Amino acid sequence: ASFTGTVRSCGMFGPMFGFLLGSFCANLWVDIGMVNPDTLTINSKDMRWVGAWWVGLLIGGGVSFVASLPFWFLPYSLPKEGEQIIKKSSEVFTITKEGHGKTEPPNQTQSRPKVKLSEAAKEFFPALKKLLGNSIFLVFLLLNILQFNSLVGMITYEPKFMEQQFNISISRAIFYIGVILIPITTVGMFLGGFIIKKLKLDATMMAKFACITFLSAYLLNLLYFASNCQVLQVAGLTVNYSGVKETSFAQVKSLSACNADCSCEDNHWDPVFHNCSCVGESGPGEFSAVLGQCPRDSCTKNLPYFLLLLSVISFLLALGGTPLYMLIFRTVSPELKSFAVGIETLCGRIFGGLPAPIYYGALIDLTCLKWSVKTCGGSGSCRMYDTQAFRNVYLGLSAALRLGCCVLYIILCILIMKRFRHDNKEGNTSRMPEVLTVKLPANGSKKEDDSFGKISVYGDTRL
């Protein structure tokens, strides 16, 4: 268990460096070397900013290629545990762990049996049927798929959510995830495996531990809805041109009396702000406008509390993640363990990793207030969201998925307790006292047939 926790926690170093690299690339303009950054009139907090997304792909692909080179030099096959193979010109001498040796032809040791595809296919479906017939594994599989949906959906749109709610740049949001959340998740996975080994938890206790940590994280997750931030005030979209939000306010035209003679293009998004109202409506005098959107300082102040809550929830989910993963090895027959891990990973990636970003993004797009217009026609990216609707959709969808996970966690615990209670009863029955007849020598007997007496012994028959 501790080894599994260590391996799973070490796997989080990749996402951590990935988020840090993404934060760096998001601060760079997409056309590196072709555009002078000093000539840009927007920064990374602007909705029109496009980061150098392609740099991360080049660096990540190059590192992956270099890391794969040592695998090319691995031997075709490895000796069994406790054996040492000494190769000679015409024969192979194998030394076992007991110190004995044997000489075999080279092809007899190095060759491995070839498995035909048809034979593997025949064994696949019976094994899959047996695996899915395990009610505990089936519930675990559905639970893993729901968890993957919520996890992938939240991670994918977490930076955009933080940008909209707390008025920070995408690069800064990605940086916070990389340096705060990922290390805390890593520690949680490692401690989960350590707790299993230290307390010697059985399958029932691991299921209860994972269920308690997830339910605690879910209750804390509801506090996300308190991270409310007011909708950005933009004349013509969320308020009228006097800066007043009316109770029956509907979206008005982007042009008004104060900018009717400015020859403004309706499809061009270049917001400026001056007290979130038209310049000059405050009275006579000289006025100027500043490029960008209206600041929301009150929203930015709530960011530390949000990160603290997010860190606690991530730690609890990671803490119970390792015990949940170990249930595969405790509830599946030994010959199906590796197959179960493969099916769990495959279903999680296909039914969780692929659809979650799609329907998360489709629902979030419904909260867009202003779409950009492409030069060739059609809508482009969203320039402005309704932050309150964005929050309700994003957090509400994640809460609904995790509510389903809570129900499956409870069902999983009930099934595991029933199975292992039944197994314990069968184990106690198999150790019931049995009658064992043992022949003992009888003193003073002359005949060989009568030299043994008989005695009945009650007790555990296991040696």
Side-chain angles (χ1 to χ4, degrees):
S2 60
F3 174 77
T4 302
T6 302
V7 172
R8 286 168 59 86
S9 59
C10 289
M12 297 302 295
F13 284 101
M16 180 180 68
F17 290 117
F19 275 105
L20 294 178
L21 178 62
S23 175
F24 171 76
C25 295
N27 264 327
L28 302 176
W29 181 247
V30 62
D31 298 324
I32 298 178
M34 300 179 63
V35 177
N36 186 5
D38 297 333
T39 61
L40 298 175
T41 59
I42 58 176
N43 53 29
S44 58
K45 294 183 65 175
D46 196 287
M47 295 297 295
R48 297 167 297 171
W49 179 269
V50 180
W53 54 270
W54 53 273
V55 175
L57 295 178
L58 293 180
I59 297 177
V63 172
S64 300
F65 175 77
V66 173
S68 68
L69 294 178
F71 291 92
W72 295 359
F73 302 98
L74 290 176
Y76 182 76
S77 62
L78 297 176
K80 295 181 180 179
E81 183 180 1
E83 292 185 353
Q84 180 182 0
I85 297 179
I86 302 176
K87 294 184 179 180
K88 295 182 179 180
S89 58
S90 60
E91 60 184 14
V92 176
F93 189 73
T94 303
I95 303 177
T96 63
K97 58 182 178 181
E98 290 82 6
H100 305 291
K102 57 182 179 179
T103 303
E104 298 177 354
N107 56 355
Q108 186 175 352
T109 302
Q110 297 178 358
S111 62
R112 60 174 61 181
K114 296 182 180 180
V115 180
K116 296 182 179 179
L117 183 61
S118 58
E119 296 178 357
K122 291 180 181 179
E123 298 178 358
F124 175 81
F125 292 103
L128 181 62
K129 182 180 179 181
K130 182 179 180 181
L131 187 62
L132 297 181
N134 187 338
S135 58
I136 292 180
F137 179 79
L138 186 59
V139 174
F140 171 84
L141 192 62
L142 295 176
L143 173 61
N144 182 71
I145 292 174
L146 278 184
Q147 276 192 310
F148 229 89
N149 274 269
S150 63
L151 177 63
V152 173
M154 290 200 71
I155 289 295
T156 303
Y157 295 99
E158 190 79 48
K160 182 176 286 293
F161 173 77
M162 295 172 64
E163 176 195 31
Q164 294 296 319
Q165 292 294 318
F166 306 107
N167 197 29
I168 61 175
S169 63
I170 287 286
S171 60
R172 187 180 174 190
I174 296 175
F175 177 80
Y176 284 144
I177 295 176
V179 300
I180 298 178
L181 299 184
I182 300 300
I184 290 178
T185 303
T186 303
V187 174
M189 287 184 175
F190 175 79
L191 288 180
F194 178 79
I195 291 175
I196 295 176
K197 181 181 179 181
K198 191 69 175 179
L199 301 182
K200 299 179 180 179
L201 302 180
D202 56 9
T204 304
M205 294 302 298
M206 285 193 295
K208 292 180 179 179
F209 181 79
C211 182
I212 291 174
T213 54
F214 188 87
L215 290 177
S216 301
Y218 179 75
L219 294 177
L220 291 176
N221 186 72
L222 298 179
L223 297 178
Y224 276 144
F225 289 93
S227 60
N228 188 17
C229 188
Q230 71 271 19
V231 180
L232 184 65
Q233 296 184 355
V234 176
L237 288 179
T238 58
V239 295
N240 59 25
Y241 273 80
S242 298
V244 178
K245 182 178 180 180
E246 302 176 1
T247 55
S248 60
F249 177 76
Q251 180 173 330
V252 298
K253 297 181 179 179
S254 58
L255 301 179
S256 182
C258 63
N259 60 6
D261 298 330
C262 297
S263 301
C264 297
E265 297 180 7
D266 188 49
N267 60 354
H268 185 67
W269 177 263
D270 199 4
V272 296
F273 71 91
H274 174 79
N275 197 24
C276 292
S277 61
C278 283
V279 176
E281 286 194 354
S282 302
E286 295 182 358
F287 301 94
S288 62
V290 180
L291 183 65
Q293 301 176 352
C294 298
R296 294 178 292 170
D297 297 332
S298 59
C299 300
T300 308
K301 294 179 181 179
N302 295 328
L303 179 60
Y305 304 103
F306 173 80
L307 292 176
L308 178 61
L309 178 62
L310 189 60
S311 301
V312 175
I313 293 176
S314 301
F315 177 77
L316 290 175
L317 292 176
L319 189 65
T322 301
L324 179 66
Y325 185 79
M326 289 298 298
L327 289 177
I328 300 180
F329 305 102
R330 301 292 180 90
T331 59
V332 176
S333 55
E335 69 275 7
L336 295 177
K337 288 182 179 180
S338 58
F339 185 57
V341 173
I343 293 296
E344 177 264 340
T345 305
L346 177 66
C347 292
R349 292 333 187 249
I350 293 179
F351 299 109
L354 294 180
I358 297 175
Y359 63 78
Y360 261 83
L363 293 176
I364 290 175
D365 284 344
L366 297 178
T367 66
C368 183
L369 296 176
K370 174 64 177 179
W371 290 95
S372 64
V373 179
K374 298 180 180 178
T375 55
C376 57
S379 61
S381 60
C382 182
R383 297 304 190 193
M384 181 180 172
Y385 292 92
D386 184 342
T387 53
Q388 292 183 353
F390 188 108
R391 180 203 61 183
N392 294 334
V393 168
Y394 174 74
L395 298 179
L397 184 56
S398 300
L401 291 173
R402 291 183 176 180
L403 179 60
C405 293
C406 292
V407 176
L408 291 176
Y409 261 109
I410 297 175
I411 296 176
L412 183 66
C413 289
I414 295 174
L415 292 177
I416 289 178
M417 288 189 292
K418 285 184 177 180
R419 170 175 293 188
F420 282 89
R421 187 185 301 119
H422 182 264
D423 292 344
N424 291 335
K425 287 182 179 180
E426 289 184 349
N428 293 333
T429 304
S430 64
R431 292 193 293 270
M432 290 293 291
E434 298 181 2
V435 177
L436 175 66
T437 302
V438 181
K439 293 183 178 181
L440 298 176
N443 295 330
S445 177
K446 296 180 180 180
K447 294 182 179 180
E448 184 177 355
D449 295 339
D450 299 330
S451 61
F452 292 93
K454 294 183 178 181
I455 183 172
S456 296
V457 180
Y458 288 83
D460 198 341
T461 61
R462 296 180 304 168
L463 299 178

